[in-house]
Every structure is written in C-alpha cells, then in structure tokens.
Amino acid sequence: MDSGKIAALLKSVYEREIEPGEAMESLKDLPFKDMGFACIDHHRVLRKGFPEVIFCQNKTPEQVVSIAVSQISQEETVFGTRASKDTLDQVEKNIPGAEIDREASLFWRKSRFWEPKENTKGTVLVCSAGTADSAVARETVRTLDILGHPSEELFDVGVAGIHRLLARRELLLQASVIIVVAGMEGALASVVTGLVACPVIGVPTSVGYGSHLNGLVPLFSMLNCCSSGLTVVNVDNGFGAACAAAAMNTK
Amino acid sequence: MDSGKIAALLKSVYEREIEPGEAMESLKDLPFKDMGFACIDHHRVLRKGFPEVIFCQNKTPEQVVSIAVSQISQEETVFGTRASKDTLDQVEKNIPGAEIDREASLFWRKSRFWEPKENTKGTVLVCSAGTADSAVARETVRTLDILGHPSEELFDVGVAGIHRLLARRELLLQASVIIVVAGMEGALASVVTGLVACPVIGVPTSVGYGSHLNGLVPLFSMLNCCSSGLTVVNVDNGFGAACAAAAMNTK
Amino acid sequence: MDSGKIAALLKSVYEREIEPGEAMESLKDLPFKDMGFACIDHHRVLRKGFPEVIFCQNKTPEQVVSIAVSQISQEETVFGTRASKDTLDQVEKNIPGAEIDREASLFWRKSRFWEPKENTKGTVLVCSAGTADSAVARETVRTLDILGHPSEELFDVGVAGIHRLLARRELLLQASVIIVVAGMEGALASVVTGLVACPVIGVPTSVGYGSHLNGLVPLFSMLNCCSSGLTVVNVDNGFGAACAAAAMNTK
Amino acid sequence: MDSGKIAALLKSVYEREIEPGEAMESLKDLPFKDMGFACIDHHRVLRKGFPEVIFCQNKTPEQVVSIAVSQISQEETVFGTRASKDTLDQVEKNIPGAEIDREASLFWRKSRFWEPKENTKGTVLVCSAGTADSAVARETVRTLDILGHPSEELFDVGVAGIHRLLARRELLLQASVIIVVAGMEGALASVVTGLVACPVIGVPTSVGYGSHLNGLVPLFSMLNCCSSGLTVVNVDNGFGAACAAAAMNTK
Amino acid sequence: MDSGKIAALLKSVYEREIEPGEAMESLKDLPFKDMGFACIDHHRVLRKGFPEVIFCQNKTPEQVVSIAVSQISQEETVFGTRASKDTLDQVEKNIPGAEIDREASLFWRKSRFWEPKENTKGTVLVCSAGTADSAVARETVRTLDILGHPSEELFDVGVAGIHRLLARRELLLQASVIIVVAGMEGALASVVTGLVACPVIGVPTSVGYGSHLNGLVPLFSMLNCCSSGLTVVNVDNGFGAACAAAAMNTK
Amino acid sequence: MDSGKIAALLKSVYEREIEPGEAMESLKDLPFKDMGFACIDHHRVLRKGFPEVIFCQNKTPEQVVSIAVSQISQEETVFGTRASKDTLDQVEKNIPGAEIDREASLFWRKSRFWEPKENTKGTVLVCSAGTADSAVARETVRTLDILGHPSEELFDVGVAGIHRLLARRELLLQASVIIVVAGMEGALASVVTGLVACPVIGVPTSVGYGSHLNGLVPLFSMLNCCSSGLTVVNVDNGFGAACAAAAMNTK
Amino acid sequence: MDSGKIAALLKSVYEREIEPGEAMESLKDLPFKDMGFACIDHHRVLRKGFPEVIFCQNKTPEQVVSIAVSQISQEETVFGTRASKDTLDQVEKNIPGAEIDREASLFWRKSRFWEPKENTKGTVLVCSAGTADSAVARETVRTLDILGHPSEELFDVGVAGIHRLLARRELLLQASVIIVVAGMEGALASVVTGLVACPVIGVPTSVGYGSHLNGLVPLFSMLNCCSSGLTVVNVDNGFGAACAAAAMNTK
Amino acid sequence: MDSGKIAALLKSVYEREIEPGEAMESLKDLPFKDMGFACIDHHRVLRKGFPEVIFCQNKTPEQVVSIAVSQISQEETVFGTRASKDTLDQVEKNIPGAEIDREASLFWRKSRFWEPKENTKGTVLVCSAGTADSAVARETVRTLDILGHPSEELFDVGVAGIHRLLARRELLLQASVIIVVAGMEGALASVVTGLVACPVIGVPTSVGYGSHLNGLVPLFSMLNCCSSGLTVVNVDNGFGAACAAAAMNTK
C-alpha cells in the first residue's frame, strides 16, 4: 500500500526539507492514489502481479487492440474476455503472440513475468453438465490459468445420468474448490454440493429454451439448493466464478 | 353421439311422419344435449364409478357439509380436498364415518360400493424430498387411494444425500408411474427421471423461502429438466398429479 | 443390472482366487459402471434399442455431422433435433440416406435394425390448434415415429371454432395418449382434457405476440387447467412430450 | 352539462345586471364544475341520473357510513363496493333500508328516483366458470342492476364440461353483451367468444393457487384469446366490467 | 348461417329425391360447416359477408399468396395482416388489384360484393398518442374499413400536451366507440375514458424502451385505469380492437 | 472537514514536537473519522441542523422510544416514520409533547432549536390522485415540514376527472417543486408534468388491486412518462420524495 | 393564460357588441386553445426558446431529415436523439452544418438565436461508472448543452474502486445537480447520494448480461437506494435526466 | 466413510466365516448407508463432528422438541434455525440448558463434545448494512459459532455513509472470509468486494418495501456486482452463507 511514500513525506517534513503546507497538498490525494485497489472496470479487480483484464463486450475491436498493445509495451500479461468474432480477428492480425480461444470468446498473451501462484490450496475442479455449457466452462478454466491457479475439467456429467458423476467421486473429493457450470435446470450443482465438503460455486448458463428465462431458472434453482455450501455467481459469469475460486483457493 | 336418434329422425321425415321444419327444430340442439360429459369443476373429471370430489378452497364449511351429506344420502363416496381447519371441524362433527387427514387438509368417506380399480398396470410410487413436502405428498397418496389405484410412499429422499435415493433404486424400477413431490430447487425430479423408464410426474411445492417464488422455482426447474419423460403439474397440485397418474396407470 | 458380476466377484473371494483387498478395489466403482443408464444429454434418455438423439442447438454443423457419421458406422439409427438451416444443409450433403424435415428442424436415418415397438397400448394422438404450431407438432410426431410408437395427427382444431374439435370426438376417445400442442392462450388443452379419460400432455408453444411472454402464457394456462389429468412439458418441447407419451403408451 | 348556468350568466352581463369583472370571477371555475365529468375516484364515472358509487376499500367504516348518510339525505341512490365485513356491519346498523350482499362485499339503497335505463339494446349475460368465481360475478350483476341494465346469470359453465356451455347456446346468442367471469386458466372466455357475435368482456379472477399468479394467468390467457371480439378488464374488476357493458348496451 | 342448405336437404328427403342414408352422410359435416363459427385461426371470426382474414405472421409468402389467390377465385374479399416485407412484395407482384399498406404491414382487395355495414350505431374514433403508434392505429382503421364500419382518426393527441386532446372534445363526444392506441405509459386511455360515456377500447403498443417491458407497462396501466368503461386488448392488437369495436358498434 | 486537525499535526512534526512515526499512526484514520457524513440508516442523510430521523419499520416500540428519549435529552428534534400502531401507542404514552399522525404512521417533536429553512426557492406542492393515496401524501407533507420547507396540498385531483386538475393550473404553475402521489395507473404524474416547467417527483403508491402488482404498475407507468422533467422514487416512499424535493427547493 | 381574451369577450358582451349566444360559442373552446402547452411527443416538452427535439427511434431517415430541414428553414435549433446509423448518414449528407455524435446516436445544429441559459444555479455533474455507460452519459451531456446548462463529466468512477470516486469528492460537492449513469448493479448512485446534499438523478443503463434484466436491476437498485435525495428516470433515458436536471438547475 | 466395514466383510468371506450369498445381501445397502453424506434436509450437510441441524420452518413445536430431546439423549449438540415464537417457547420450557436467540429465531445447546475447529484459516467477518438486517446477520454469526469457526461482527456500515466502512478497512483486510448481509439495494457487497482480496459472500435480505421485491433487488444487485470475487446465497439465507464460509475458511 505504499505507506513508504507517506513515511518519506513525513520524514522530509521532520527534516524540514519541505514545509507543512506543501506536505499537506501532497497528502490530500496520496492515500487514494496509492491504495492500489487497481479496479477500473469489473474485470480490473485482479491485483498487482495479475494481468489487467479487458472486458471486451462494449468496446470496439480498435479499442481492444489499442489497450492490449499498450499493456504489452509495458510487459504486462494481456487477457481479454467476451470478445466478438470481429475483435478476435483484429487481435489475431495485430497482436503477435496472442493466443485465441474462439469457443470461449477470449484471448490472452502471457508476459515473461507471468508465473503460477505459489500459495494455492490445491486444484480447482470445473464440472459442466453438457457440451452446450462448454463455452462458459472454458472461460472459467482459462481465467483460472491466467490467475495462476491449477484446474482440472470434468465435462459432460449431467444429472440425467447420475452414475457418470458418481463414478468420478474421487475427483470431486480431491478438489479444493469446485465450480459447477450448468444450464437447463441446474440440478448438477445441488448434487455435487451434496457429495463434497469443499466450497462449491455454481455458474448458471443461459443455455436452454422455452421457460428457461435466459438462465434465470438454473440461477434460482442453485440459489434454492437444498445442500449448504453452495454459492452462486451471475448467469454465464465464468470469469467471476474463476476469480472467486482463486480467492478461495489462496491459502 | 347417438347417431341413431338422427337416423330415426331422418327416417321419419322420409316416411313423411314429420315435416322438414319440425325436423330442423329437433336437429338444432341434439348433438350437444346427448353428449353426456360429466365434468362440472376441476375435480369433477373423475368418471362414473369414481366419487365426486369437493374442492373446498372457496366454499364455506356449511356448503361443504351440505354437499357431502347430499352425496352420502345417494350412497356416493365423498372426497373433499383443500379443506380449512374450520371445514374439517364441521365435517368431523356432522359427517359420521368421515375420515380426516388434517396434515393433507382433506377428508373422505368411502361408500359401500367403493372398490379398488382392477385394470391397473401396477403401483404408483410417490417420492418426496423432505418432511416439508409431506402435506402435498399425502394429498397425492390419498387421492390415489380414493381413485382405487395402489400406491407406495418413498419419503425423505432429497438430492442433498443422493445415496439415500440410489439405495432405493429397485423400488423406483418396479413402479409403473412415479410422482415426485419436491420444493426447494426441485432437482429430485430430474434425478429420478434419469433413473427410470416409466412416466414420471413432477409436483413442485411452495415450500421454501427467499427467491423461491412460492414454488415457481421448482416448477420451472422441472420444466427444464434435462431428462426426458418428465411431465409437470401445477405447484402443490398433488390431487392433479394423482388423477394424471391414475390415467397413466390404467391398462 | 449385472448383479451377476458382483456375485462372481464374491465367489472368487470365497474361492480364494483373489484377495479381499483386490476385490475391494474392483467393488468400488462397479455398481456405477455397470448401471447402464444411457443418458448423456437431455436427449440421451432413450434406452438401448432406441437411437441416440443429437440435440443440435448448441453444436456446429461439423460436430453434428461427425456424431451422425460415427453413429451410422455403428449401424445405429440417427435422429437430430433443433437443427439449424446450416446444419440441415450439411447433413443433406454429407449423410447419404438421411431424411430431413425442415419445418420441424430435424433429420433422421433409421438403421436396418430399427423396428416399431411391440408393447404399445395404442395410438398417440397429436392435436394442434393452428398452422402456426405445426413445427412443434411435427417434432412430436417425428419423435414418436423414431421411438416406434404409432401416432395420428389432428391439426387445426383451435378453441375459437370449438365445433371442429367436437366433430372429432371419436378420434379423441380412441387414443391411448393425447398430446395437445397449442400457443396463444392454450385453451385447447383444457377442453380436450375435459373430453377424455386417457392421459393428456400439454405442449405450450412460443407462437404469439404482445403479452404472450414467449409461451409462458399458454404454459401457465395449461398448468392452471381446471380439468384433471393434464400434465405439461416445457414450451416448444415436442421432443419431450413424445418421450413422455412413449413412456405412458408402453404396456 | 348545465350550459344553462353559463347562458344565464352571459345574459346577466348582456342585461348589465352584473359587471364583466364579476362575471369573469364566476366563470373561472364554472366550466369545470359544471362539465359534468363527475368523476372523483374510479367509481365516480357513473353519470348523472346514476348513483355516486362508494369504493370502500381504503375507507374506514365510519367514512363510508358518513358518505352514505349524506347521499341519502340528498335523496340519492347509494351503492358501496369492496366493503369489508366491518363496514357492512356498520352499514347494516346505521343505514336503514340498505340492502347488503355479503358474498359480493357490497351494499346499496335505491332512492325513490331510481329507475331502469330505457335505451338499452338488450340483456347483459354474466357467465361464470365455477362457484369460486361467484363473488365477482355477483358484483357484476349487482352493478348492472344499479346502473339500470337488465342482466341474466349463467353460472357453473366451466370449460372442463364444455357440453354444459354448449347446451345454453341459445342464451348466449340472445345476449346483447356477455361478461365472462373466470379464474383458473380463463379458457371459458375464449370458448364463449368463439360462439357469439356480440361484444364479450372477460373478467379474470384471482381464484386459484400455485402458478396462478393471483389472477395474472387468466388475465394473460384472455388477452391472448384466439377469438376476436373479446376485451378484458382488470383482475376481479366485476364493477368495471359492468360499467363497460352498460356503455356497450346503450343504444 | 346458411340454414338454407339444411332446409333444402330436408326438403329433398321429404320429396324423396334423396334417401335418408345419403342425407345422413351429407348432414354429418354440415352442422359444423354451416354453423357459422367459421373460425380457423384467430382472424377467422369474421362472419359471412365479411372477408376471411389471413394472419400472415407464421406463414411463408408463398402460402399467403396461394390462400389469397384461392379466395379471389371465389370472389371473396381478401385481407391479410401482420405481413412481412417479403410477403407484401410477393403480394404486390402476384395479386393484381391488391392494395398494400406497408406501414401497417397489411394488404387487402375488396371483392365486388363487399359493401359497408348498414346497422352501425355511428362512427368509431381511433385516437393515438404519437406518431410511433401509428402502425397499430392504421391496422385498426384498415380493419374497421374492411369490416364495413365507418371510422375517424385522431392522431398525435398525447397526454404530455393535454390541451390538444381537450380541444377535440366534441369529436370524442360524438363517437359511438373509441379506440385508444397508446404506448409509453398509456395514460391517454385513462384521460379519454374520463371524458366520454361511450365504450372505450385500449390498445397498448410495444413502442418504448427501458422498463417499458415491450408494452406490458401501458397494458397494465390501462387495466388499472381509474376511469370505468375502459376495456383492453392485447399489446399491438389493433385488429382485435377493431373486431371488438365492430361488435360494439352494431345496433 | 477539519483539515485544521491535519494542519496542526503537520505543524507539530515540522516543529519536531512529535516524530514522523507517531504522526503516521495518527494520520491513518483521521481523514475518515473527521469526514463528518452523518448517515447511519437511510433516513440519517439529513444534514446537521436537520433532525435525526427514526425509520421505525424494523424496530420494536421499546427501541423507538429509547432512541427518541435519547434525542430529546440532547434537545434534538425527533421524527419517526413507518411506525406501527403499537409504536405510536408507546410514543403517545412515553414521549411528552410528541405529536402523532396515525394516518401517516409517524410522529414528531420539534426541539426549541427547530426553525424553517431560509434559503428555499418557494413552495413544494403535493398533489394526490385519490383519498386512498392520502397516507403517503401526508408522510410527504410532514417530512417537508420537519425539513423546514413550505408545502401546499392539492388532494383528490385524479385523471378520471381531468377538469378538476386543470382548474388548479395556477397553483401548479406557482410551485417550485411538485410531488405527485398516485396509485392505480399513475397517469396523474404524466399529466402534471406536461403542464409545468418546474421539477416533478412521482411517488407511486401500492393502492390498487388485481394486476396492480403492489405499486409496480404506477411505478413503471411514471418511468415511461412521455413528458420530460419527471423523476421517480420508490413505491410509497413519501419520505424520500420529500427529501429530494427539499434538495431541489434549496437555492 | 390569456385571460385577456376572455375579459375582452365579456366586455364586448357588456357593451352589447356581441350577443350572449355568440359569446357562448366563442367561450366553449377558448380556455384550451389558448393554453399554449408546447408538447407534442415526449421530447417536445422543451419550452419556447428551447429547440424542438426529434425523437428519431420510430421515424424513417427521410422523416427525420424532412422535420430537421423544416425547423432550420424557420431558424430553429435542431436536436435529434436515438437516431439510427442510417438516419445519421442521411443527416450528414442532407443537413449542412449538422454536428453528429455517433456514439450517443444523436445530432444537432444550433440556430444563430441559441444561447446558454442565464438563470442557472450552477454546473450539472454527469458521473458514469464505466466506459460501457458512456453512450448514455454523452446523450445526457449533449442534451444539457442544447438546453443551455453548463455540465461537467466525471467518467469511469465505478464502485469497484471506490477510492477513485472519493478522490473527486470536491467536484461532487461543487455541483448543483448530479446525474449518475450506471449499469451493472447501479451502486454508484447510492454511494454518490450518500456523499452530497444536492439533488441526484440516477440513470440506470441496459449494459450488463445474465440476470441484468436489461437494466431493471440497476433501476430497482437505485429505487431502493438507502440514501435519500436520489430520484430516478427510465433505463437509458439520458435525455430525460438532462431535462429534469435542467428544471432543477433553474433558479 | 467406514470402508472398514466393507473390508471386514470381505475378510469374513475370505475366511469363509460367511457365505458369498449372505455377504451379497449385506453389501447391497452398505455402500450407501456408510457413505456418511448424512444429509436429510438442507441443514443436514454438516458433517460428522458437527451437530445435526433442525430446520424448524415446517415442523410443529412438538416435532422440534422431540428431535432435540432425542439428539441430546445421544449427547449430540442441538441447533435449530427458523424457529417460530411458539417453537422457541416450547424449547425454553422443555429443553433444559438450551440457549435461545429470539431475534435470530434460533436455539442451540452444545454437547460436552463440542469444540472449536482447529484447521481454520482465520476469522470470518460478518458485515451488515443496517439494524434491520441484524436478524439475518445473527443467524450467520450463530451458525459460524456452532460450526466452530471464529467470527467477528461489523454492524451498521451501510453505503449511505461510506466513510464508516472505510474507517474499518483494516478489519476488512484481516478477515479470511467476509459475509456481507444487506437489504435495500445491496450495494454494500459491491463496495466491500472492491476493497479486499479474500472471498466475499453476499446475503441479500428481504428487508425493504415498495419495489424491493422481497429481497430480489439486492439479490440481483449482488449478482451483477462489478467487483469480482463475490458469490451469493439465497435471500435471508444466513445459515447457508455461514456453511459456505466455513468451507472456505477450512485450510
């Protein structure tokens, strides 16, 4: 939090190198400027050492590329989510070394300073119910990777064939945090939470039709889960789930 | 549709026993008058041989008792659902021989002509997730009994402890129809439907709190069930589920 | 459920052919691995002997074709629902022998092993209210056919001209299960259920405008039906209704 | 509209009996006071010759009685709707000659000047689906009576037993306006509108349970009616339906 | 109602020109065909003498043209609503003599038998709040014209400048039925209903943004109108309002 | 904001009266502790000179009385809103000099230091549509009085009789801020906003029935108002409207 | 409002220059005709001296250009909001001197008579939470400019990094009115309102995803704000917020 | 998980103490009975060593007491949540040693075996926005205590006075998990999440009025939070939040 700067300032006053009035001017904004919360938009929560994240949804391809170029010039890791096809095309053309995951609508480029987190509790397990949920699941997995947390995927373990899930119980029991990505009625989150003791995060997806209400049904379903220990993020918010899981997975 | 009557009429015209104008008058209403469908309100679907059902919700205790007395005087079986405490008190005092289930808010009195159905496919299994759903589950079981269909109960098999359900798999596989009564997030219906081949009917219940939306959450959850073979009735409508199950359970 | 395998294992232990520790390892997953529930996604409920169903909604044309090709190579029947125009074009080009119903957005190719079910109770009648509902009605009919159940269609019998429905009463009374496909206010399901004793399944459709709420109005309308015996599936879910009807139509 | 008063004033000015300035003062409010829109709250639409209506819902018993007494003292007809049990008790005790309909939660006392309307087109038919809707149906019938329009009731003709309705077709065809009072799924309004040529007004009721949404389901159901000629009023608004029917039934 | 055909048939039997059995065959469908309910979809309510209406929303341009051509070949008036641009293009190219209103998304071609209704009470006034509502207002006016009822338009009289409406009070008072087409908050319907004694029909429109809920806001607003005498149709349903107004405007 | 304290501290460091480390400790919390925002709960926004407001809704009568007594002991003005009957009874018994408005569910006791605001722009006009809205209107008026702003009331000017409102136009034009309290369809706010140039605040009320949605209908209605210049507060939030009006009415 | 005309009329009668009958005719409409409220659609509220505003959303590019040309020919300022890309292209081509803000979807052309308002209280501050809200924020700022009110922008001060907002506290405290434009959960409005004494207007935006409900979430969030002094306009309604702010900012 | 029992069984078979058939019988249910998921209702997730929790909402006072007595007789800790006043009265009378928190509607009695958890990461901080949320906050704190996790409370730190929260930043930064309990607009969760790196759990409460939608507003608000790292539980579900926090706080 750089209290060092304030200490230095106070010392200068003590040493009479600068006058109280001048010091007061400097102090006015310091506490805020140096606080280092570093959050600009809803992706910027990621702390120092973590890359700045570009939430591309309401930005033009040009804006995205220009932010990325500027970050790279400062040797930062770049990570862009919810990027349109157009944006990804522009990134591909203009950002050498960028890796692109079109299914998950994101791209990234790790800087040479990037390295995995050391103080993690274990592995984050990302379960998804069907292939239809895989775009959100991949956003989750990619974000965890960028955040430096190890993850494992368990795909296609829907409740309609509960035995498939039960067969992987060991995997479930070894995870330090579990993220369940599920659309339709979202029952997978309830069943998984009933099987484990670690924290479980539910990510409802907007996959479905009819009275699915664009994901509100699995969202409410998870919120009313009869197994305790489940918490929930917004519909399709794989990124947010990964950030929360990273917080939980930090010793 | 008694085309016989029409044929006879046409013959009379041909024989000039009656005139065209007169015949035309007779024809006007005939098809409808002879139809003979027996349904008055939403409980009256029950066909002949089945008792008339009294839906007590919007009737005074006096009205209910008076309908019941009149049915008994005609040696009919009496069955009253959604009865208030007051109504049940009045029934207890005024209808000798009436049996009362206060938890399920209903009463009945079988006539001496009542007998179980013969052409049933098998047993209807009624599963419920928690003790909180038991009032609805009991309405279901009682209705099946009055309709003359054999049923079995499987209580307290919620998804939070999926092993308890799996332990009863044999019971599930033997049923000819399964009714799943579940509140909270309603996931039990999904899991059960994934385990069996017979028809499954979901009854969402209004038990819950917070974003439970008075039962709309399990209702929508069941409608979006990822296992096929599940159909759904209105929230808390154990009676309706039993009627539908009886139709399905008839050979 | 292959309890035979477990019995054999126990016998081997008794015969001291294998040691308890080794047996324990084998036992751990067996019950699940052998359970044989065949469901992967919400269409996979269809049991053995029935084709695997491809739910195309969230798959690319390439993915769909590749699954279909693989199924055909194993002499399986192929059935794909909710396929986009692009997907159907690819199927037409790449799957020889595939039949395509563009109005119902599906395709199929029966294997030489396909044959109609034998133990059916009778004919499933599919009623629809208007030409606007015909895409869903056709999905229903096609699914029933693939499932091996005989069906009959009764189109354009909306409530606004109730006499048209009444004229077909005999057809209604002969069915063993009835599926009512209806948009707008969904009243057809209520009227039909009032006329028959067999199970009726309501399929609300998303056809309408204004306060139609994308099909929620007929959905809720059917759930609040005053005739008992009606159960409901999700909006536009003709496939699910057919699966449930098949379960009900099995002796 | 009492343009007579304004004419008289202008004449007085012309006759120089009063001065322009004084006349102007008088004119300031006159046009409004005498316009005769006469509406204070949502019941006050009733024109001259019609009684003032007291909407009791948010008034104390004392307030209601005091308004009624004041109206009676001016030889006006009194009509109070949505009155609580307490209010009706107070009315019974304090308003001699008041007639009370406790089921419909209203009371009235016709003045000696009250008389039926002369320029009516015919009879307004009030149909209701079940006994549960009868409170609203009675409010409708009572209001029509107070408004001086002849009405007839057709109770207990729900859609679940469609033949009962069809048997009364003649009654339906003779009506000049039909009001359909229906809860549950509200399908009765659709069916009736399909059978007649006169205007039909739907009154959804709040009777039901589960996903009935306090009457929103039959409301939306009626709004999406596939038969044209149906218009709708608010849930439980029998009074409003009667007012609209009176307007339609006026030659 | 063409009871003439039935009368003729009966006469032929009486005259022994045809045999009873043969007559019976003919009668089988006649009562329904001739009953005159005549409704196939929600536009077909229009009685004989009135044209069949083609609800184009879920039909291909080819289907629409083919229905129209068939109607014209029988010298019927053609009226098509909710037609897409493509459909109108096809109509323009293939239906000689068809008139097209692209703003209102409809077309028509009156047959030589078409003539205005004789037994109307007066003129139907169609008020709309803003230019944005004019598409729906025009559908209303066109439908009234086809139905043979005289109408007048009063455009651009929104509540935001209430004086503009009040200046037209005479027009309002002369109408026999008023249709108010309004989006945004729909307050125009309340104000108009407060000013007149004739029936008023509210048509909420889907014009708006933000929390407008696609027209649900003006819909609910109108249903909660504090002036009695207002009834409401579905959002954007100008056609339905015109049909209901025609029923009300018939002596 | 007491930057004085910081200046003094810096001066002490400069004078070497305290050491940098010690100064740093003192600085850590100062900026926050001295900020002086006075808000504890949603009523406490009122700045110095204004009374502390007690939001009674979730407090026991005892808690309310005890807070009030403590405020009085410090010679503060007391103002309690949303007080239950029980709370008002306790206040009456225990707070000498407290004035109580039972209709508005509030009480107050001005201290001897209370005085009207001086820098107001003019009078705040509070309009309400019907007697049913008067509880909320009175909360508004009482709050304005306590805040020291002059107000005037204009009751019973609903849209159903628009002339009554127009007759008071002068009053409307003289106000510096107008608050419109309206339930039902909330159209009064639209009409008033169309008539004036000053800021208008809409307060939707929960008075109504049927599809009124507990005040959401007038709320949405006001938000979609076609006259610009209207802003809105929460349903029944007369207090909040008064606070906002006070802010707007301050020069 | 021109009582002069009425006085003159009365004087003419008094002078017997015109007869009472004739005067009565003249009086009938006068009060309304002379009222002079200038509102046609929801943007036309702007009084004389202010430009007419063109709400382009439901108009064709041709209609918009033609209105603009006509206004310019009368030396009026032109201001068009919610213009599509097509409309802006047409404006660019056909309206010389028009300035266009494509991000805010609007255009304008000030006449030579345009000048800033003189009687303003101060500066309106427009805060926005993220770059995603900037289109709405710019509509707000542009409208304020056209209305002649000085404004300042404070962009990118979301709640996720609260220090950034706090660092600008002085700017907040100097504003005479603050407009907060915020999507996501809309918390910025609560925090800002807690910091200042001036009126705050919240503009929820439709930016977000998942359970964001197209802006209903920040809308409801702001309505339930625990800080008093906040009023709210419709989702994305930057124009309306600017109009209301202008009213509040007028001395 | 008591695999010991299975091992012993297999050993007995190996030792030929029991026969394979007999062993098979024993095995049938064992795996499930011994799994130890131990969940009966949504509170029973708590693992061994943790007390069984009684969810009292749908149980009679007698049932609750009887469960508690049975648990105590087995020397188990008792913990009952969502208990009505009647239930707490019965508990007080019949369960010696029970401690009761009437504000939080719960009771508990720790057994002599109860002891705090050892492997916790640190302290769970429970923040609440206002006194109105304190019942839910206390349920949270009590549950954490019973679960053996240390917690600290930070009450009355609403967003309306953001400085109060900022003053406690150190407390926030020291917590290992933070639970934010907030009603109204729920903005506190956003602000707190923006300030810390540890996992934050939001508990929306049903405290509010008007458009608060019984807690759906703060629920949706939290789900749309622009700071990442926040996960959410159901409205008023303090118990669930505590369980999830315990999982996160376990090393």
Side-chain angles (χ1 to χ4, degrees), chain H residues 50-69:
Chain H
F50 280 34
E52 299 282 320
V53 177
I54 311 170
F55 181 68
C56 306
Q57 194 169 288
N58 293 281
K59 299 195 177 66
T60 63
E62 291 69 32
Q63 289 174 318
V64 171
V65 166
S66 123
I67 298 172
V69 164

Side-chain angles (χ1 to χ4, degrees), chain C residues 99 143 222:
Chain C
E99 293 184 88
T143 306
M222 290 177 183

Side-chain angles (χ1 to χ4, degrees), chain C residues 158-162 166 184-187 190-191 194-195 208-213 217 220-227, chain D residues 158-162 166 184-187 190-191 194-195 208-213 217 220-227:
Chain C
V159 164
I162 197 77
L166 297 176
M184 311 297 286
E185 85 276 52
S190 294
V191 175
L195 294 174
Y209 63 88
S211 64
H212 189 258
L213 307 178
V217 168
F220 280 126
S221 204
M222 290 177 183
L223 286 166
N224 285 278
C225 172
C226 60
S227 316
Chain D
V159 164
I162 198 76
L166 297 176
M184 311 295 288
E185 85 277 51
S190 294
V191 175
L195 294 173
Y209 62 88
S211 65
H212 190 259
L213 306 179
V217 168
F220 280 125
S221 205
M222 290 177 183
L223 286 166
N224 285 278
C225 171
C226 60
S227 316

